[in-house]
Amino acid sequence: MSAKRASSKTQTDKAVPLAQIRTLGDPVLRQQTKPVTAFDARLKKLAQVMMEVMVRDEGVGLAANQIGVVSRVMVWRNPDADEERYAWVNPVIVEESEARCTEIEGCLSVPGAAMEVARAEEVVVECQDLSGEPLRVRLVGLPARIAQHEIDHLEGRLILDRASPEERRRVMKELREQALAVET
Ligand code: ZN
């Protein structure tokens, strides 16, 4: 990937080689990501880096803004299908079940926190692959949860926003205590 592009591209170019996971408090996690229009080598490189970071940090999914890139791209691996990996571009949830389930979720961008999050049990996602081919996929259970989590990231939302007020208070208290423990 070239780093010698127009200035509007610098954020992407700088962020990818570093590939640090951005954590709570970083404003990029609150940004609405931009739709991808160029299905080029740059996009493939971004997806490749995201896959590497996801595996390195033992995540099941990763959104581009978690490594500081404000593009609507997510990667994930399916624990129900031999860890098969996917890179999805411009994903949108077009249908979701009324049935919801609550499970404990963690997030690479909120390290050390695990909280109960209620999500639709089943969703239909429309997206594109790295070549721009449209896909429509129905997901149930854990894969549906992963997709909802990552698409939330792409819209600037975090699990804290989905947790109940009590859960959020508990987790924020834990995070403050962790931070104090690190300082002392
Ligand atoms: Zn996350």
Side-chain angles (χ1 to χ4, degrees):
M1 191 174 70
S2 169
K4 297 187 186 69
R5 295 283 185 92
S7 57
S8 64
K9 308 266 173 57
T10 53
Q11 189 172 15
T12 303
D13 285 333
K14 277 183 189 164
V16 170
L18 294 174
Q20 293 294 329
I21 298 263
R22 305 302 182 91
T23 54
L24 191 63
D26 190 317
V28 77
L29 294 174
R30 292 307 190 176
Q31 270 184 269
Q32 171 85 34
T33 54
K34 298 190 180 73
V36 171
T37 52
F39 295 82
D40 54 9
R42 223 180 136 75
L43 176 66
K44 290 186 176 67
K45 178 67 184 170
L46 170 62
Q48 186 197 328
V49 169
M50 288 171 63
M51 290 278 189
E52 285 168 11
V53 171
M54 173 178 73
V55 171
R56 179 192 75 194
D57 291 6
E58 298 176 350
V60 289
L62 191 75
N65 51 339
Q66 288 184 277
I67 57 166
V69 179
V70 191
S71 296
R72 200 170 175 97
V73 180
M74 61 170 276
V75 297
W76 68 285
R77 50 177 163 175
N78 190 344
D80 293 348
D82 275 345
E83 304 291 329
E84 193 166 342
R85 295 174 198 175
Y86 307 89
W88 283 357
V89 183
N90 301 327
V92 183
I93 292 170
V94 293
E95 279 177 39
E96 63 176 59
S97 62
E98 276 180 31
R100 302 179 79 75
C101 58
T102 300
E103 299 276 356
I104 302 282
E105 261 180 54
C107 177
L108 294 174
S109 292
V110 192
M115 67 201 86
E116 287 187 347
V117 181
R119 301 217 186 250
E121 203 163 351
E122 190 173 342
V123 294
V124 176
V125 175
E126 286 184 357
C127 60
Q128 286 158 285
D129 68 13
L130 293 173
S131 311
E133 284 301 310
L135 303 170
R136 183 182 167 94
V137 187
R138 182 175 296 274
L139 300 168
V140 185
L142 184 54
R145 178 167 293 273
I146 296 169
Q148 290 171 85
H149 180 115
E150 302 311 330
I151 290 171
D152 268 357
H153 272 302
L154 296 174
E155 290 171 358
R157 275 195 297 270
L158 295 171
I159 45 176
L160 287 159
D161 310 330
R162 295 285 188 192
S164 66
E166 302 77 49
E167 240 344 43
R168 194 159 50 236
R169 269 197 296 278
R170 178 187 66 76
V171 169
M172 292 308 287
K173 184 162 173 280
E174 271 180 26
L175 290 175
R176 276 195 300 275
E177 284 165 359
Q178 275 177 28
L180 286 174
V182 169
E183 280 166 20
T184 53

